[in-house]
Amino acid sequence: MNENVNFMTYLDPKLPEEMDNDEERLMRILLNLLLNSQKYTTSGYIRLSIRFLNINCSITDSDHSPTKSYVKFEVSDTGVGISEEKIPYIFNLIETD
């Protein structure tokens, strides 16, 4: 990583110890986002935030729970950003510039 770029993380202390997820797909998406941040950020920061969210639902689902729990993964940086025309393709791991 460029020495002018500070890598920061935030892990919500409320995160569960275990989660049901597609670990391989999640890792590929996060890695792709982080590598793109590294590629286009020459100074400033890259931040990975992982937050635990409880969302109140107005309509209960089949388990009759009015609250859903989610984990939000967010990559932010001070890089040049993604052009509007490329946003639909950010999860295509095969395409390159």
Side-chain angles (χ1 to χ4, degrees):
M1 183 172 292
N2 184 328
E3 64 186 35
N4 297 323
V5 178
N6 185 21
F7 182 71
M8 302 180 294
T9 58
Y10 171 76
L11 299 176
D12 192 330
K14 296 178 287 188
L15 283 169
E17 289 186 28
E18 293 184 16
M19 297 180 285
D20 289 330
N21 64 68
D22 184 337
E23 185 176 345
E24 184 178 325
R25 179 173 282 167
L26 179 60
M27 292 302 292
R28 283 193 338 215
I29 291 169
L30 287 174
L31 183 59
N32 187 49
L33 292 172
L34 289 167
L35 289 173
N36 279 324
S37 285
Q38 180 185 16
K39 182 177 179 179
Y40 296 107
T41 303
T42 57
S43 65
Y45 68 86
I46 297 170
R47 179 185 304 130
L48 171 63
S49 298
I50 305 174
R51 301 178 189 279
F52 183 74
L53 304 173
N54 278 322
I55 308 294
N56 289 325
C57 302
S58 59
I59 301 173
T60 59
D61 59 15
S62 60
D63 68 1
H64 305 291
S65 174
T67 303
K68 293 278 189 183
S69 296
Y70 297 92
V71 176
K72 178 181 179 182
F73 296 85
E74 182 178 17
V75 176
S76 57
D77 61 54
T78 54
V80 296
I82 300 171
S83 63
E84 288 292 323
E85 64 270 4
K86 289 191 177 184
I87 289 176
Y89 305 104
I90 62 173
F91 293 108
N92 290 352
L93 300 178
I94 297 172
E95 293 188 26
T96 60
D97 287 339

